[in-house]
Amino acid sequence: MDPQPDTTESQKPPRGVSLGQDAWRRLRKSWTATTALWLLVALGVVAVLAPLLPLQPPRRVETDRAFQPPTLAAPDQPLFPAGASPSERDAALAEGFGRLDPASRLLLRARTALFGTWSLPSLCGADRLGRDLLARLIWGGRISLTVGLVAALVSLVIGVTYGAVSAYAGGWADNLMMRLVDILYSVPFIFVVIFLITILNAEGIREVLEREYGINRMVIFFFLVGAIYWLTMARVVRGQVLSLRHEPFVEAARALGAGPARILFRHIVPNLWSVVIVYLTLTIPRVMLFEAFLSFLGLGVEPPDVSWGLLANEGLQAITPIRIYWWLVAYPGLALGVTLLALNFLGDGLRDALDPRMKNR
Amino acid sequence: MTAFLLRRLVWFAVTLWVVFTVSFFLMRAVPGGPFSQERELEPQIAQLIEERYRLDDPLWMQYGRELAGALRGDLGYSYRKPDFSNAEIIAQGFPVSASLGIVALGFAVVLGLPAGIVSAVRRGSLVDAGLMLAATVGIALPNFVIAGVLIILLVFLLPVFPAGGWGSLGQLVLPAFCLGAPYAAFIARLTRTGMLDVLSQDYIRTAYAKGLPDRVVILRHALRLAMVPVVSFLGPAIAGILTGSLVIEQIFAIPGLGAHFIEAALMSDYTLAMAVVLLYTMLLYGMNLVVDLSYSLIDPRVQLE
């Protein structure tokens, strides 16, 4: 593409920086990417520490304050009645927070020790059943972010393995595997996934899966979503491996007696990380969008669990010509929008930062 | 060219067959089928239903018969709406979805192309920065968030458009815009990158040197090549608009195929869901083929292989 060879760059004495350090330095120079990164780190911390924060219980129904607009006034009900016995306390917490994993229970206990029964006012208003929207947003963020991360990792593992094996095998196997990818590209996956979800949710099948294999809906969800986003990853990785597989270091490994699997996963795949990281940051928003999309349609995360897509749906359903509950539409949309925007900016920034042609600039 | 088309047709058939077979056996793996109702049926009625849905044969015979039916274009009957054949439901919903999709694609191109051209030509200006920020926001926001905000603003606060339904032109504008907005944003970004690439090439300098006006150079010489990535994006864009219309049809209460599909999925109407999946596979494959063919029309150097 570039008509002039890069002579000025090669004449500079090379400075001893690794690709990672160099990329980090360049990433920090782009303020959009840095802001996005810190924002995402903050979001992640808030999501992980959600049980520790003094939030109102996300599942507690208080019908007398249904559709209450955002307010700074302290909530009417404390976390649990003062002077409650430990068993009453646990019952109140279980009702408000649902069944929690041990780590979250521990954090919740730390929270009651730290803040007592005090909780934040309903800064984002309340929904149709009087549940606190701020708490639901943060607890929903836990699910939305987990789905995004886990499903993107699933797609990453499938895509990298498939692409690397295909390129390394070469010949007819490569041809066949890539033809399969071509076929899958022309399948409208979202429709197929929705179709699969309906079938896996059918009475009978669902129970069998849960009882016999311990697979619940979330796990199925992770795998289905991950399984549709690996195609591009596989292609990208294949291209990279094709260019790497005749490099001298691969020949050297083979001369030392390393087997194909070892060469592939210990020597070649570690060289792909820059491509993989960039692609991962661009896949996470797509996966999150897809989760929101499915939850919005009522096929993803099920109540009483919450996710941002589900909240957006509830908000849209509450729109009536008589009264506009703007906070129910605006805040879930804002949460989703800001996260996705930050991920997109970070992905773009990383792509520029990890571009080897930009090294030492 | 003929060989190219033939090969693509063979793969087309293989793809459809795979989708059909996988969904057929998945569907049959679900216990219950059309009988999963509260009420116990009379034996004669049960037998009639079995005959209608061809469930009274061994599985492989059912498969053969269904496949033959699908080849003839007979997609069987809906599980949940027994009075309608799937073909009738599709014939009713498809035109609605198709017109919504076409208008949305029109919005995407009409908004995206000029925005991309302007920001490439005015590179580094405030206009460029503003347009590209808008494009990033458009890509990041899900269409149902855009729809929610626009409904509040343009339906309730400033009553410009109706809230939903189908039939008049005014009812089409808002859903089509929400559906097309993310793709307009993508097209704007692709056009900008493509234009920047092309504008620095020698033949553009030659065109300027000949004394051609800016407009001619940009619209006639540069745009043509800059369009190539946009055209190749149209394939995925059409696929995305098809899926996006699932949500948009729900929000705006549009009786299209997407609404039928979601209803079928929620009511476990497997035959209808499968028919829609097959139809969309066909559509997507056809669109991708058209996109591939159009490369050689835009850029004569491209050889179809």
Side-chain angles (χ1 to χ4, degrees):
Chain A
M1 289 299 268
D2 205 342
Q4 282 134 5
D6 238 353
T7 45
T8 48
E9 291 306 312
S10 52
Q11 279 162 8
K12 271 188 197 161
R15 285 175 292 152
V17 273
S18 75
L19 186 63
Q21 285 170 329
D22 193 50
W24 177 240
R25 193 176 53 78
R26 252 181 288 121
L27 187 68
R28 274 189 319 189
K29 267 201 287 190
S30 144
W31 68 269
T32 46
T34 328
T35 319
L37 182 64
W38 289 120
L39 194 79
L40 289 170
V41 169
L43 263 174
V45 169
V46 167
V48 170
L49 296 183
L52 188 65
L53 304 175
L55 297 166
Q56 296 175 37
R59 293 186 189 174
R60 190 172 65 198
V61 175
E62 287 173 54
T63 36
D64 53 325
R65 61 161 199 187
F67 294 124
Q68 188 194 49
T71 171
L72 285 173
D76 307 334
Q77 280 192 39
L79 194 56
F80 42 81
S85 69
S87 64
E88 280 171 353
R89 234 171 89 168
D90 286 348
L93 288 182
E95 195 204 323
F97 290 91
R99 217 171 41 166
L100 295 176
D101 55 289
S104 307
R105 257 200 312 256
L106 213 66
L107 283 174
L108 195 60
R109 205 165 301 151
R111 173 221 162 138
T112 48
L114 263 175
F115 298 102
T117 59
W118 181 76
S119 45
L120 279 172
S122 295
L123 294 174
C124 297
D127 72 355
R128 184 169 50 89
L129 297 173
R131 292 172 294 196
D132 178 41
L133 187 60
L134 178 68
R136 285 173 72 73
L137 276 175
I138 291 178
W139 282 84
R142 263 164 94 91
I143 293 194
S144 288
L145 292 172
T146 318
V147 170
L149 212 61
V150 175
L153 282 176
V154 170
S155 79
L156 184 87
V157 170
I158 301 178
V160 170
T161 316
Y162 194 92
V165 168
S166 171
Y168 194 76
W172 64 267
D174 180 32
N175 214 339
L176 192 75
M177 286 172 87
M178 281 300 125
R179 262 295 113 81
L180 186 69
V181 169
D182 286 347
I183 289 191
L184 291 177
Y185 254 117
S186 49
V187 172
F189 259 107
I190 298 191
F191 291 85
V192 178
V193 165
I194 291 177
F195 186 57
L196 279 178
I197 287 178
T198 44
I199 284 184
L200 293 173
N201 270 335
E203 318 258 328
I205 290 203
R206 189 174 179 173
E207 275 94 69
V208 169
L209 279 177
E210 283 203 21
R211 200 181 51 236
E212 311 255 313
Y213 305 100
I215 299 173
N216 62 22
R217 184 160 165 160
M218 285 313 278
V219 177
I220 293 172
F221 198 69
F222 287 145
F223 277 90
L224 280 181
V225 177
I228 65 173
Y229 284 109
W230 62 271
L231 296 173
T232 314
M233 188 75 210
R235 277 195 173 172
V236 170
V237 167
R238 175 176 171 270
Q240 291 282 314
V241 173
L242 277 183
S243 67
L244 282 175
R245 62 180 241 185
H246 293 301
E247 293 286 314
F249 73 90
V250 177
E251 298 294 322
R254 190 172 298 130
L256 286 170
R262 190 183 165 80
I263 293 179
L264 198 52
F265 290 101
R266 291 298 298 276
H267 296 270
I268 293 182
V269 169
N271 281 289
L272 302 172
W273 70 271
S274 65
V275 180
V276 166
I277 283 187
V278 169
Y279 193 75
L280 187 67
T281 46
L282 295 175
T283 307
I284 294 174
R286 289 172 60 205
V287 171
M288 285 182 63
L289 206 57
F290 186 54
E291 180 272 324
F293 177 85
L294 282 182
S295 299
F296 185 89
L297 293 172
L299 292 161
V301 173
E302 279 175 309
D305 280 335
V306 272
S307 80
W308 289 340
L310 211 59
L311 287 174
N313 185 15
E314 285 174 6
L316 269 176
Q317 282 180 353
I319 293 184
T320 57
I322 304 147
R323 284 222 50 197
I324 297 167
Y325 308 112
W326 57 269
W327 56 95
L328 291 181
V329 177
Y331 289 119
L334 203 67
L336 248 175
V338 166
T339 312
L340 295 177
L341 203 61
L343 279 164
N344 275 310
F345 274 129
L346 181 65
D348 286 350
L350 275 174
R351 189 172 46 202
D352 294 344
L354 286 168
D355 188 347
R357 281 170 301 183
M358 302 282 283
K359 190 161 196 294
N360 288 336
R361 278 194 199 175
Chain B
M1 179 77 179
T2 328
F4 168 79
L5 276 181
L6 269 179
R7 197 159 43 222
R8 289 300 288 262
L9 270 180
V10 170
W11 282 113
F12 178 49
V14 172
T15 310
L16 273 183
W17 174 75
V18 169
V19 171
F20 176 85
T21 309
V22 171
S23 16
F24 177 85
F25 284 105
L26 276 173
M27 211 162 73
R28 287 296 188 270
V30 179
F35 310 112
S36 49
Q37 293 169 0
E38 301 286 307
R39 204 152 42 91
E40 195 72 27
L41 290 169
E42 300 280 329
Q44 279 109 336
I45 297 178
Q47 202 197 337
L48 282 175
I49 292 182
E50 280 204 343
E51 264 172 38
R52 176 164 205 183
Y53 293 107
R54 302 158 182 164
L55 295 172
D56 46 354
D57 293 327
L59 197 61
W60 62 269
M61 256 171 89
Q62 286 181 37
Y63 175 69
R65 194 141 28 139
E66 292 276 317
L67 187 60
L71 285 179
R72 273 185 277 114
D74 172 11
L75 294 165
Y77 289 92
S78 160
Y79 268 9
R80 294 282 173 253
K81 293 180 181 143
D83 295 339
F84 294 94
S85 75
N86 288 326
E88 280 166 357
I89 296 176
I90 288 176
Q92 190 260 319
F94 182 67
V96 174
S97 292
S99 31
L100 178 64
I102 289 169
V103 177
L105 197 64
F107 265 123
V109 174
V110 167
L111 295 177
L113 266 186
I117 296 171
V118 167
S119 65
V121 173
R122 301 260 173 90
R123 183 188 187 177
S125 70
L126 262 178
V127 181
D128 177 25
L131 282 175
M132 283 307 113
L133 183 69
T136 315
V137 172
I139 290 172
L141 282 183
N143 52 16
F144 50 84
V145 171
I146 301 179
V149 172
L150 286 184
I151 287 179
I152 289 187
L153 291 181
L154 293 182
V155 176
F156 293 127
L157 288 182
L158 284 173
V160 186
F161 294 109
W166 186 253
S168 75
L169 211 60
Q171 283 169 327
L172 186 62
V173 175
L174 215 47
F177 177 79
C178 295
L179 193 52
Y183 301 95
F186 258 113
I187 288 178
R189 271 170 64 145
L190 286 173
T191 313
R192 180 176 182 272
T193 327
M195 276 305 252
L196 286 179
D197 243 22
V198 173
L199 284 177
S200 62
Q201 288 194 6
D202 289 346
Y203 80 92
I204 295 296
R205 200 178 47 200
T206 311
Y208 277 120
K210 283 197 298 189
L212 291 177
D214 289 2
R215 196 169 48 84
V216 177
V217 176
I218 290 165
L219 294 184
R220 286 268 297 278
H221 295 245
L223 186 59
R224 186 167 174 150
L225 205 59
M227 284 272 284
V228 173
V230 176
V231 170
S232 57
F233 175 66
L234 284 183
I238 290 165
I241 283 178
L242 289 179
T243 39
S245 79
L246 295 182
V247 165
I248 293 294
E249 284 175 19
Q250 293 272 308
I251 297 176
F252 291 96
I254 294 171
L257 203 50
H260 285 310
F261 180 68
I262 294 300
E263 200 192 323
L266 290 173
M267 305 271 290
S268 42
D269 187 344
Y270 308 118
T271 46
L272 179 56
M274 175 168 144
V276 177
V277 170
L278 279 181
L279 179 74
Y280 275 133
T281 313
M282 231 156 81
L283 215 60
L284 188 60
Y285 205 96
M287 290 301 164
N288 280 335
L289 185 62
V290 171
V291 166
D292 283 354
L293 286 176
S294 65
Y295 287 144
S296 62
L297 290 180
I298 294 176
D299 188 347
R301 291 170 303 178
V302 171
Q303 294 279 313
L304 294 172
E305 46 159 320

